[in-house]
Amino acid sequence: MAQVEDVHDTADGAAGPGAAVEFRILGPLEVRARDEGIDLGAPRQRTVLASLVLQANRVVSFGHLVEAIYGDNAPPTSRVQIQICVSALRRLLAGHGHADAIQTYPTGYRLHVEAGALDLHQYEALIAEARQARDARRFAEAERGYRTALGKWRGPALRDVESAAIRAIAHGLDERRLTAIEECIEVDLSLGRHREVIPELTELVIAHPLRERLRGLLMIALHRSERQADALDAYRDARRTLIDELGLEPGDWLRRLEHGILTGDPALTLPSTPVSVVASQPAEAEPVPRQLPTDISDFTGRDDEVRFIEEHLTGGDPDRVAVPVVVLTGGPGTGKSTLAVHVAHRLRDRFPDGQLFVNLHGRRPERVSAGEALQRFLRALGVPPDAIPDGVDERAEVFRDRLAHRRLLIVLDDAAGESQVLSLLPGDCRSAVIVTSRSPLAAIPGATTAPVGPLPPRDAITLLRHIVGSDRVDREPGYVLDLARLCGHLPLALRVAGARLASRPHWYVADLVDRLADERRRLDELAHAGICVRSSLTFAYDALCDNARQLLRLLVLVGRSWVSPWVGAAVLDVSLERAQDVLDELSDAQLLETTQGPGGYPRYRLHELVRVFARERLAAEERPADRHAALERYLDAVLTLLAAVERCNERTARRPRCGPPVRLFSDQTADRIVTPIEQWYELEHSMVLAAVRQAAQAGLVGTSIQLAAAVVRATESLPYAGHAREAQRIALSAARRVGDQCGEAAALYTSAALSTAQRRTADAVRELLRAMALSGETDDAHERADEVSELRRLLAHREALDPPEPPSPGRRAGSV
């Protein structure tokens, strides 16, 4: 979920005549305009469009699109290639009157699909109506609804799209189609049409020989057609196939059907008895797994998240056809697993057939594959070890069969990606799934994402109170607030800190606060009894690509500010597109906080403890020369963009006297980054001022003076006069601190120009005189001739408007 955002603005329903463009995925991928097909072009474009259609009216992240096209082998140009595909698709749709169909968002793209313009939406609406009629025992109406809905299918979903990620989702759609077919045939049997459905069921059994429900329906149809011998032959053929292919005996329901046919069970011969009643009879001795880890007694806060998860898993639409899935996403130490287990315990009574749990271990070396997880689940569900198939697909089929008509809650903890999860989803919507992951897992069909972040300060204090005790918390309330802040309000860090205090009753809270205040020791202090914040962060860090690890380290150089993609491009010395990809990878790994600034600009920031960890890695892995070079590139980028602001202000560009900046971006790129300038400067003004300060602190006095001068010029038409004055003060102090008279003179000349613009005539005169004196001392006066001439003209003009200020007592007025 980078992340999939819900931005639905249309209702699903039957196709309307006003839909200009129709999208079809229930078969080969098609887009039709006015009953004519549109040529969708190359396979890569089809894959991009299929991804967007599957998440219609939702934002699909760049990361999801990259995975759909390239899998785990994405090239550095993947983002550019996706942009090319989207541009081509936009041109195709624009040619048919749908120019704004694909919209760009900071995190990805969104395909706008009108109500009734997607065959999947039409199908789902018709199926829901058919199920309502079936439940009300209006079987003739239900049968018509099912047949109309199934008529929307033109073959396997998206069968012409060659993408592993898309194929996994399409397989889920095909599974839902088969379930609807089975329900439709059950309705036919309830209407007494047992003879009519035998040919259809025979073809379905040949196409899906391992699907026990189809086998059972064929047995019922044959039995009701007075063909008991054929019905028993159908059972024997099913048993032989299951044993040969999977090494398994038929399930309990199929065995009971055979017994009922042999004994002449009257329930099997009455068409008025809904087959769903027969099919849903529970097994007499099916195991009920209880695999949840222990819930914690001091679970704190998360009331909104708990309510949201419970409502999604157990409430909502009674006609829901898809398995409810909630994905809890968050960074290391946010308490995703604790929240999932806590909610699962609260919902145990709503899922009486059991709870399954597996820790998938994310991207760690001990990662659990989907096949291994299925093996564990099947054993817990009573499948003998020697009867478990070898292949993942076969295990998934047996797993779905075992869960059919049962209510189980499945918790998949620490999933690395969709491929690890899709095979573990049940096929029956009576069950539900909770997934925890550092990635949004946007490719899971119908999944709802629930972000899990740091605790609010109040809940962080409450958690410490539970662990440490009210007396100690109430005795040092100020230090407790500091402790929560130094822990970044992360539940894992708070628990470690609380455990340390609880195990050392002679410590004051202030003692631990003093230890944590030293960033060089903070992660050392946040470790206790095998629980270590650094280890949690290290696992996430090690799973990143080389560029992402390096960027995480280098972002420390720019302080605590929110950063835009151009910052990543500067410190990494890569293109803007590559920097955006790397930032998105860090965001998907939940190592960066993400937000949108004014105008929808994406913004990123290191969480407090992640920043401390990144500083450690910076010191350990980056050479001082490389760190210095990255900082210089960043400062040069700020200079480049300030020059672009000046150009956009339609001012005459004036090069800084201490040397021009290195151009990291072309003028066109820089202009695009800073446009509109008012919005860009509002977004970045604190970072610009911090850059002046960083240059001064790093001993780059000349760069600091250049930056300050660039700020003055860039803000001439912007309401940041105080900001420009503070930049000049920082640069001037830096020059004086190191005794750089040339730099001090340059800063004073710029400051005098600023004072003149601000109608501070006396200050301008004083700064100009001091600058001229310093220039004379350093033989630099000839290099300031233009500035002296210009300031004389400006001062003369100002004094013509305003009387000269009287000299201060005891000081002789000077003249220029």
Side-chain angles (χ1 to χ4, degrees):
M1 108 302 11
Q3 178 176 347
V4 173
E5 307 165 24
D6 281 321
V7 284
H8 291 285
D9 57 5
T10 61
D12 299 339
V21 177
E22 294 184 14
F23 299 89
R24 299 181 180 180
I25 61 174
L26 302 182
L29 177 63
E30 285 187 5
V31 179
R32 301 186 68 81
R34 300 175 182 85
D35 293 328
E36 293 184 3
I38 299 176
D39 184 1
L40 299 178
R44 189 177 296 167
Q45 288 177 202
R46 302 177 70 85
T47 299
V48 170
L49 181 61
S51 300
L52 295 173
V53 174
L54 284 167
Q55 301 289 347
N57 298 318
R58 305 173 79 189
V59 178
V60 182
S61 71
F62 291 107
H64 174 52
L65 293 172
V66 168
E67 182 178 359
I69 296 175
Y70 300 106
D72 296 329
N73 301 308
T77 60
S78 58
R79 189 185 184 94
V80 174
Q81 296 300 322
I82 289 171
Q83 291 171 338
I84 293 172
C85 291
V86 169
S87 295
L89 290 170
R90 279 177 171 153
R91 287 193 297 272
L92 287 173
L93 296 173
H96 294 82
H98 216 38
D100 59 347
I102 302 178
Q103 300 155 355
T104 301
Y105 284 74
T107 55
Y109 298 101
R110 170 182 177 266
L111 175 68
H112 172 73
V113 176
E114 298 176 4
L118 175 59
D119 59 355
L120 175 61
H121 291 170
Q122 301 168 23
Y123 166 76
E124 289 175 336
L126 290 167
I127 284 292
E129 292 173 0
R131 283 173 173 151
Q132 284 182 336
R134 177 201 62 189
D135 294 343
R137 301 182 66 82
R138 301 193 304 272
F139 294 126
E141 178 186 341
E143 194 272 343
R144 288 193 299 273
Y146 274 113
R147 293 297 176 185
T148 302
L150 291 168
K152 298 289 181 183
W153 286 80
R154 297 168 289 110
L158 296 168
R159 66 184 182 191
D160 57 340
V161 179
E162 299 177 0
S163 161
I166 299 297
R167 294 307 319 144
I169 298 173
H171 179 75
L173 295 176
D174 292 336
E175 184 73 21
R176 287 156 62 180
R177 177 196 185 192
L178 278 174
T179 299
I181 290 172
E182 291 166 343
E183 292 174 0
C184 180
I185 292 175
E186 287 179 3
V187 170
D188 281 324
L189 291 173
S190 297
L191 289 169
R193 298 174 179 169
H194 33 269
R195 288 184 173 85
E196 290 87 339
V197 299
I198 289 175
E200 180 182 2
L201 278 170
T202 301
E203 292 181 6
L204 288 167
V205 165
I206 293 172
H208 308 281
L210 302 180
R211 201 166 179 94
E212 291 191 33
R213 194 175 183 188
L214 290 173
R215 297 272 191 176
L217 294 173
L218 177 59
M219 291 167 61
I220 293 173
L222 291 168
H223 178 64
R224 289 184 179 177
S225 301
E226 299 180 352
R227 296 170 58 182
Q228 284 80 4
D230 290 337
L232 293 172
D233 280 343
Y235 172 79
R236 286 189 286 270
D237 181 63
R239 181 174 182 271
R240 183 168 51 252
T241 300
L242 290 169
I243 291 174
D244 290 346
E245 296 292 331
L246 304 178
L248 294 175
E249 289 285 344
D252 294 329
W253 177 62
L254 212 58
R255 293 199 301 269
R256 286 199 304 275
L257 277 180
E258 183 212 22
H259 180 74
I261 293 169
L262 288 170
T263 58
D265 186 348
L268 294 178
T269 62
L270 298 175
S272 60
T273 303
V275 176
S276 58
V277 173
V278 178
S280 62
Q281 293 176 1
E284 296 179 1
E286 288 180 326
V288 179
R290 307 289 187 189
Q291 295 187 333
L292 294 179
T294 303
D295 195 8
I296 58 175
S297 59
D298 58 0
F299 184 87
T300 303
R302 307 292 193 197
D303 294 340
D304 292 341
E305 291 92 335
V306 169
R307 189 179 307 110
F308 174 82
I309 299 167
E310 290 183 350
E311 288 177 355
H312 186 77
L313 295 181
T314 62
D317 184 3
D319 300 314
R320 177 172 57 197
V321 297
V323 176
V325 180
V326 174
V327 180
L328 307 183
T329 64
T334 53
K336 303 180 295 295
S337 302
T338 301
L339 174 60
V341 170
H342 178 71
V343 173
H345 275 281
R346 287 170 57 97
L347 295 179
R348 282 182 302 178
D349 293 341
R350 305 291 296 272
F351 296 93
D353 295 323
Q355 300 85 44
L356 295 169
F357 177 92
V358 62
N359 185 346
L360 298 171
H361 291 294
R363 300 185 183 278
R364 301 184 185 187
E366 61 269 32
R367 172 181 178 176
V368 176
S369 67
E372 184 180 350
L374 284 167
Q375 182 180 40
R376 297 181 188 181
F377 284 170
L378 290 175
R379 292 176 65 180
L381 292 168
V383 178
D386 57 353
I388 295 175
D390 292 331
V392 174
D393 290 341
E394 290 83 0
R395 289 180 181 180
E397 290 172 357
V398 177
F399 177 64
R400 289 192 295 270
D401 181 68
R402 287 281 171 164
L403 265 59
H405 312 296
R406 302 182 70 187
R407 292 184 62 83
L408 280 89
L409 180 60
I410 303 163
V411 180
L412 308 175
D413 188 31
D414 195 13
E418 289 91 338
S419 61
Q420 209 176 8
V421 171
L422 289 171
S423 298
L424 306 178
L425 300 181
D428 194 312
C429 65
R430 296 174 179 84
S431 294
V433 182
I434 303 175
V435 186
T436 73
S437 177
R438 291 175 186 171
S439 301
L441 306 187
I444 298 178
T448 297
T449 300
V452 182
L455 288 172
R458 183 174 181 178
D459 290 339
I461 304 273
T462 302
L463 179 56
L464 288 171
R465 186 182 300 276
H466 286 321
I467 301 171
V468 178
S470 296
D471 290 343
R472 296 174 75 180
V473 169
D474 293 339
R475 190 163 55 240
E476 301 176 84
Y479 284 112
V480 171
L481 283 170
D482 290 340
L483 179 60
R485 176 181 55 79
L486 291 169
C487 290
H489 301 107
L490 287 178
L492 176 63
L494 290 165
R495 287 193 174 279
V496 172
R500 293 201 68 190
L501 288 172
S503 65
R504 292 166 175 80
H506 55 285
W507 276 18
Y508 288 99
V509 176
D511 295 331
L512 184 55
V513 168
D514 289 342
R515 289 169 173 257
L516 295 178
D518 184 351
E519 289 190 356
R520 294 168 300 179
R521 297 177 50 191
R522 189 176 303 174
L523 295 182
D524 292 328
E525 297 291 341
L526 289 175
H528 180 77
I531 303 174
C532 180
V533 173
R534 182 187 284 111
S535 296
S536 180
L537 293 168
T538 300
F539 283 124
Y541 178 76
D542 289 344
L544 299 170
C545 72
D546 291 342
N547 273 168
R549 286 196 298 269
Q550 185 180 24
L551 181 55
L552 187 74
R553 299 190 296 266
L554 295 178
L555 284 178
V556 173
L557 298 173
V558 301
R560 292 176 168 84
S561 303
W562 289 95
V563 301
S564 299
W566 65 265
V567 177
V571 297
L572 272 186
D573 197 15
V574 297
S575 67
L576 275 172
E577 290 77 13
R578 178 56 184 160
Q580 179 78 71
D581 289 341
V582 177
L583 285 165
D584 285 339
E585 179 179 350
L586 290 170
S587 176
D588 288 344
Q590 304 295 327
L591 292 170
L592 289 181
E593 300 176 61
T594 308
T595 189
Q596 287 185 358
Y601 292 109
R603 306 277 281 165
Y604 306 87
R605 183 175 68 180
L606 292 168
H607 181 273
E608 180 64 19
L609 288 181
V610 176
R611 187 181 59 79
V612 174
F613 174 80
R615 187 178 294 279
E616 286 187 353
R617 304 321 312 153
L618 180 72
E621 299 182 40
E622 294 286 345
R623 297 178 304 171
D626 293 335
R627 298 200 295 267
H628 189 77
L631 177 61
E632 285 191 319
R633 286 195 301 272
Y634 162 63
L635 298 175
D636 287 338
V638 177
L639 276 170
T640 300
L641 297 181
L642 288 173
V645 172
E646 187 180 1
R647 280 197 306 276
C648 293
N649 275 329
E650 297 182 350
R651 301 288 183 181
T652 302
R654 290 169 290 184
R655 290 185 180 275
R657 294 298 182 180
C658 296
V662 176
R663 295 290 177 180
L664 292 174
F665 310 122
S666 67
D667 286 350
Q668 292 81 1
T669 299
D671 290 348
R672 177 166 53 86
I673 292 172
V674 303
T675 304
I677 58 173
E678 295 84 359
Q679 218 167 57
W680 182 83
Y681 207 83
E682 178 188 353
L683 200 67
E684 306 287 16
H685 70 274
S686 60
M687 174 170 281
V688 168
L689 191 60
V692 180
R693 186 174 291 109
Q694 284 175 285
Q697 292 171 346
L700 301 171
V701 176
T703 302
S704 179
I705 294 168
Q706 285 180 289
L707 284 165
V711 169
V712 170
R713 293 194 300 273
T715 57
E716 284 181 356
S717 62
L718 298 174
Y720 289 95
H723 189 256
R725 178 64 62 184
E726 176 63 12
Q728 284 302 119
R729 186 196 63 77
I730 294 169
L732 192 56
S733 297
R736 286 171 175 166
R737 188 167 57 248
V738 299
D740 181 355
Q741 291 186 337
C742 177
E744 183 181 353
L748 283 167
Y749 278 118
T750 303
S751 187
L754 178 61
S755 295
T756 301
Q758 296 175 352
R759 302 173 66 90
R760 297 166 57 174
T761 306
D763 288 341
V765 170
R766 184 171 56 253
E767 290 159 348
L768 180 60
L769 288 173
R770 176 60 181 158
M772 293 175 65
L774 289 169
S775 295
E777 293 174 16
T778 59
D779 297 327
D780 192 39
H782 64 283
E783 294 192 14
R784 296 294 167 183
D786 291 341
E787 279 77 359
V788 172
S789 176
E790 182 179 356
L791 281 168
R792 280 177 171 159
R793 179 183 59 79
L794 290 172
L795 287 172
H797 177 68
R798 182 68 63 205
E799 290 175 358
L801 297 175
D802 302 311
E805 298 177 5
S808 301
R811 189 182 67 184
R812 181 172 61 85
S815 60
V816 178

